[in-house]
Amino acid sequence: MDLSVKPGDDFYTYASGTWIKNNPVPAKETRWGSFNLLRDFNISAVKTILAESAAKTNAPAGSVEKRVGDFYAAAMDSAAIDKLGYTPIKADLERISAITDLNGVLHEVAFLRTSGAGSPMFGFYVGQDRKDVENMVPQLSQGGTTLPDRDYYLKNDARTLRIQEAYKNYITTLFTLTGAPQATAQKNAETIFGMEQKLAEAQMARVEMRDPYKTYNKFAIADLNKQTPNLNWSQLMQKMKVTGQDTILVNNPAFFKTLDGQLTSTPVADWKTYLQWNVLKSAAPYLSSDFVDANFAFSQVLSGQKVQTPRWQRMSSLTDGTIGELLGQLYVQKHFKPEAKARMDEMIENLIKAYEIRINNLDWMSAETKEKALAKLHAFTPKVGYPTKWKTYDGLAISRNNFFQNVRNAGQWGYNDMISQLGKPVDRTKWGMTPPTVNAYYSPVMNEIVFPAGILQFPFFDPKADDAVNYGGIGAVIGHEISHGFDDSGSQYDKDGTLRNWWTAEDRAKFQEKAKTLQEQYDTYTVLDSIHVNGKLTLGENIGDLGGLSAAYEAFKMTKQGKSKKKIDGFTPDQRFFLSWAQVWRGNILPETAAQMILTDTHSPGQYRTIGAPVNMDAWYKAFNVKPGDKLYKKPEDRIRIW
């Protein structure tokens, strides 16, 4: 803490200033804070498990240890990987070179997807139908670009132009590494950038993409064919292993019309270059060190990271991302205790209770809508720690001496696994995050809140800490995830997870009015020089923070400590609650990364998450004696209360 600062002037620095001053971003990172410390601890724990598994060369064939150990051992054999250069993708590049017509281009688009080698032109996945949640359906989404956001193709300020230049250099470098002459490689870079720029122009912005109705467009496959005559979806879907489906969901139909026109207006030779690029960029992190270094050099310009993340850390993360439910079994044996789960279950129960009280006490919502809100709240499914049914990855071949093939096999296996869900009942045991993940999520179509074992550790959670610390940490995280069910987007889904209105028109209008004031609050926060927080893009997360912290405080007041005034280390229970919240969000971030996050991240920066919710809570003013004249002071009538 920095006690020289008044909490009412700068609560972020007051709560964490000394830590922030003494903990600059390490060279291998792009930001550094409580989240990163825990992620760092977790990835080291994962590395230990992986190294131990890899060392057990006599582990039984097919055992979890053997499969996890083999994957990691192959990933760490950089000498073998370097020897191969770009050989692992030579056949792909040659196959694409031999394409002669548009039909060949589209065949390749399907092949790259099904073989785990890339996802060119558009996004595709299988997921629940938002208006018929028991049904798994094929879904198409805008895509086809490489840079993190469409704005990188469309803006021309100095920061953006520098990134565009670095991107073209990256493309040029990868082509030259496969033997292309410099001039050809440079020409390829211009071609690819131009093609992706056209796709970016057709993409909807992230704020628009937050509207679940706007992005819900259901087509009979035959009708979609009429809209995009060059993209025969009946044929393409079959090549993509989708059979027996007559309808498809599309998030941005206009994008596909543009893509359809581009197919014929762009020469086949250019499409071949674009497809080769998709193979190259997908493979670069898993090829020899010259490819990996080029990949890092480009990401450096985007993020400002000083040195490359060590190989063990990258490969530990890759193992988690690829076979996370095998690794997860070993992780939870060591790092997740039954008492942590018991404490979490109890806290979730208390948070639901607190939320119920808060909904009942809302002065802006009618009894009719409250009843529906409570029904939704009581239908929530919490998942804590790890899945009840582990994924087995049956049929996924993992070899100890072919890293690249392991990655490809996993991509192909993952694709087939996704396709296999079509025509089957929705699997409600499935998780969207692996157990070691330091994060949590809410799924509107499942109406579930999910907390992986990875986040259930200090500073978010400590079974031995006092309630103030746990409720200000993980309690607020639980409340945050519950609030996603009631944010600007999640609130449009009913208790069954169906995209269906359950509000009266009047209540919805009042909710939107309140949300707008919160959006305006965050719009005023500055991140870098002239860059502001985007209150619209971050609205769901900001509602999550405000509702979550308010509910966590309500739940904390039900505990023995919450009812007492007894100080610990000179701080009252209420002060400890808010300090715990603030210290979760402390951190330093590189300016390049901060600029990128403003475009791509739906969360507000940590310093504004620290203050954004508390300044709307009377309890915070009381706890720290915040008075008119203090910089963060808001008049009682201006404090925003939503949930």
Side-chain angles (χ1 to χ4, degrees):
M1 296 177 69
D2 178 352
L3 300 177
S4 69
V5 176
K6 253 173 97 175
D9 282 344
D10 181 356
F11 189 55
Y12 181 62
T13 305
Y14 169 78
S16 305
T18 304
W19 188 94
I20 291 163
K21 203 162 62 215
N22 294 335
N23 288 274
V25 179
K28 73 180 178 75
E29 303 285 344
T30 56
R31 38 188 180 161
W32 196 244
S34 298
F35 259 92
N36 311 84
L37 273 167
L38 181 45
R39 284 185 179 138
D40 217 49
F41 166 81
N42 266 357
I43 205 68
S44 298
V46 162
K47 175 203 181 182
T48 305
I49 292 167
L50 291 171
E52 283 171 4
S53 301
K56 284 184 192 160
T57 41
N58 57 351
S63 67
V64 171
E65 279 88 351
K66 171 111 181 100
R67 301 178 80 195
V68 164
D70 283 356
F71 186 92
Y72 185 68
M76 289 304 288
D77 189 353
S78 47
I81 295 162
D82 278 347
K83 239 185 244 151
L84 292 170
Y86 81 99
T87 322
I89 56 166
K90 215 170 174 173
D92 295 315
L93 299 175
E94 284 167 1
R95 188 182 61 250
I96 293 168
S97 277
I99 292 172
T100 54
D101 56 15
L102 195 53
N103 206 24
V105 169
L106 291 172
H107 179 82
E108 185 64 28
V109 166
F111 178 77
L112 289 178
R113 262 202 166 72
T114 55
S115 61
S119 43
M121 289 190 188
F122 53 83
F124 169 73
Y125 61 101
V126 170
Q128 286 165 272
D129 181 336
R130 275 174 271 174
K131 292 190 178 179
D132 179 11
V133 290
E134 293 308 324
N135 198 9
M136 299 296 282
V137 288
Q139 312 201 22
L140 290 169
S141 60
Q142 62 183 33
T145 49
T146 306
L147 292 169
D149 190 84
R150 69 195 280 267
D151 278 15
Y152 287 111
Y153 295 93
L154 310 179
K155 287 178 149 177
N156 59 5
D157 56 277
R159 186 183 278 119
T160 306
L161 291 173
R162 194 170 67 247
I163 287 166
Q164 290 177 4
E165 205 44 51
Y167 178 43
K168 289 175 191 173
N169 284 340
Y170 178 43
I171 299 173
T172 305
T173 306
L174 290 200
F175 273 102
T176 55
L177 288 175
T178 63
Q182 182 77 13
T184 310
Q186 281 172 325
K187 185 169 164 282
N188 289 351
E190 292 300 333
T191 299
I192 288 155
F193 186 82
M195 289 171 78
E196 291 190 353
Q197 195 170 37
K198 283 201 182 83
L199 293 173
E201 282 165 6
Q203 291 176 1
M204 278 199 264
R206 280 171 196 262
V207 169
E208 275 185 285
M209 295 292 289
R210 285 185 48 73
D211 183 336
Y213 283 97
K214 201 175 214 169
T215 53
Y216 185 94
N217 304 283
K218 201 174 207 173
F219 288 90
I221 289 181
D223 291 340
L224 188 59
N225 285 340
K226 287 177 199 150
Q227 295 222 358
T228 59
N230 299 310
L231 283 157
N232 182 329
W233 294 104
S234 313
Q235 287 176 8
L236 204 51
M237 283 294 135
Q238 265 194 315
K239 285 179 179 170
M240 286 163 60
K241 303 190 177 185
V242 177
T243 51
Q245 300 285 320
D246 55 3
T247 53
I248 194 159
L249 283 174
V250 183
N251 75 352
N252 178 1
F255 172 85
F256 287 90
K257 283 187 183 165
T258 301
L259 172 61
D260 186 67
Q262 219 175 315
L263 281 171
T264 45
S265 64
T266 306
V268 168
D270 290 357
W271 280 115
K272 285 160 66 170
T273 304
Y274 171 80
L275 289 172
Q276 287 184 325
W277 168 239
N278 273 266
V279 168
L280 276 168
K281 72 174 181 188
S282 303
Y286 317 119
L287 294 172
S288 52
S289 42
D290 40 6
F291 283 88
V292 176
D293 293 346
N295 177 268
F296 175 65
F298 168 55
S299 76
Q300 264 189 306
V301 180
L302 276 173
S303 70
Q305 189 175 332
K306 303 288 182 285
V307 304
Q308 193 155 204
T309 311
R311 185 167 189 94
W312 69 262
Q313 191 172 337
R314 281 181 284 128
M315 295 306 125
S316 298
S317 298
L318 180 69
T319 311
D320 182 34
T322 310
I323 45 173
E325 290 198 21
L326 292 179
L327 169 63
Q329 294 174 52
L330 305 175
Y331 174 84
V332 296
Q333 280 168 19
K334 282 197 167 183
H335 297 283
F336 191 58
K337 303 285 176 278
E339 56 268 28
K341 182 164 182 355
R343 185 84 191 272
M344 266 303 279
D345 291 342
E346 179 197 325
M347 286 182 76
I348 290 170
E349 217 173 286
N350 290 349
L351 257 297
I352 298 269
K353 247 184 247 163
Y355 230 94
E356 186 181 318
I357 293 167
R358 294 188 68 79
I359 290 172
N360 278 321
N361 289 340
L362 290 176
D363 57 6
W364 58 269
M365 188 184 269
S366 68
E368 190 186 333
T369 307
K370 276 182 185 176
E371 197 182 316
K372 302 265 176 59
L374 290 167
K376 178 168 184 175
L377 177 71
H378 292 137
F380 270 58
T381 303
K383 292 178 175 175
V384 175
Y386 53 90
T388 49
K389 190 175 90 193
W390 294 101
K391 235 187 223 185
T392 57
Y393 305 88
D394 281 349
L396 169 59
I398 297 171
S399 138
R400 201 177 175 91
N401 46 26
N402 196 336
F403 170 55
F404 190 82
Q405 198 55 51
N406 289 343
V407 173
R408 270 287 163 90
N409 291 350
Q412 190 169 2
W413 187 92
Y415 184 85
N416 291 335
D417 182 53
M418 175 179 80
I419 294 294
S420 74
Q421 297 168 41
L422 289 167
K424 285 190 193 150
V426 171
D427 179 2
R428 296 193 172 270
T429 65
K430 207 172 65 184
W431 279 53
M433 283 177 181
T434 66
T437 307
V438 182
N439 213 332
Y441 69 92
Y442 168 74
S443 163
V445 283
M446 291 277 210
N447 197 25
E448 64 181 15
I449 46 175
V450 186
F451 306 96
I455 197 172
L456 303 180
Q457 297 174 57
F458 186 78
F460 294 94
F461 179 64
D462 179 355
K464 296 182 196 70
D466 56 305
D467 278 327
V469 169
N470 279 327
Y471 277 91
I474 201 72
V477 174
I478 297 166
H480 174 102
E481 299 309 335
I482 294 173
S483 298
H484 274 315
F486 302 100
D487 70 16
D488 59 318
S489 175
S491 62
Q492 300 186 63
Y493 297 79
D494 69 8
K495 69 178 173 55
D496 305 319
T498 305
L499 186 58
R500 189 193 290 145
N501 182 45
W502 48 272
W503 296 71
T504 66
E506 199 182 330
D507 288 341
R508 190 77 200 164
K510 284 182 189 164
F511 170 75
Q512 283 167 334
E513 194 47 52
K514 286 178 169 294
K516 191 166 177 285
T517 57
L518 193 65
Q519 177 203 317
E520 287 162 357
Q521 175 187 321
Y522 282 83
D523 276 337
T524 63
Y525 295 146
T526 313
V527 183
L528 278 178
D529 37 76
S530 62
I531 300 178
H532 278 252
V533 173
N534 181 341
K536 263 192 182 147
L537 179 64
T538 56
L539 182 59
E541 297 298 337
N542 299 334
I543 292 173
D545 281 350
L546 179 56
L549 191 62
S550 302
Y553 181 75
E554 184 101 32
F556 171 56
K557 296 315 272 181
M558 297 174 190
T559 67
K560 193 176 156 199
Q561 185 191 13
K563 293 185 175 97
S564 86
K565 297 266 192 288
K566 194 181 166 203
K567 290 185 176 181
I568 300 178
D569 296 339
F571 294 99
T572 66
D574 276 22
Q575 287 174 331
R576 286 174 71 77
F577 170 85
F578 285 109
L579 286 169
S580 174
W581 163 259
Q583 290 179 351
V584 158
W585 301 116
R586 66 188 179 195
N588 284 304
I589 184 166
L590 300 175
E592 296 88 341
T593 297
Q596 183 183 333
M597 301 308 266
I598 283 298
L599 285 181
T600 60
D601 194 357
T602 52
H603 302 84
S604 296
Q607 74 206 83
Y608 297 123
R609 294 189 76 171
T610 302
I611 61 169
V615 297
N616 291 303
M617 292 172 65
D618 299 345
W620 176 75
Y621 287 83
K622 212 165 140 190
F624 293 98
N625 195 22
V626 179
K627 294 271 190 283
D630 291 348
K631 287 179 187 156
L632 293 175
Y633 182 83
K634 275 176 106 167
K635 289 192 206 126
E637 62 271 24
D638 294 340
R639 294 170 200 167
I640 303 160
R641 294 171 183 83
I642 302 182
W643 292 106

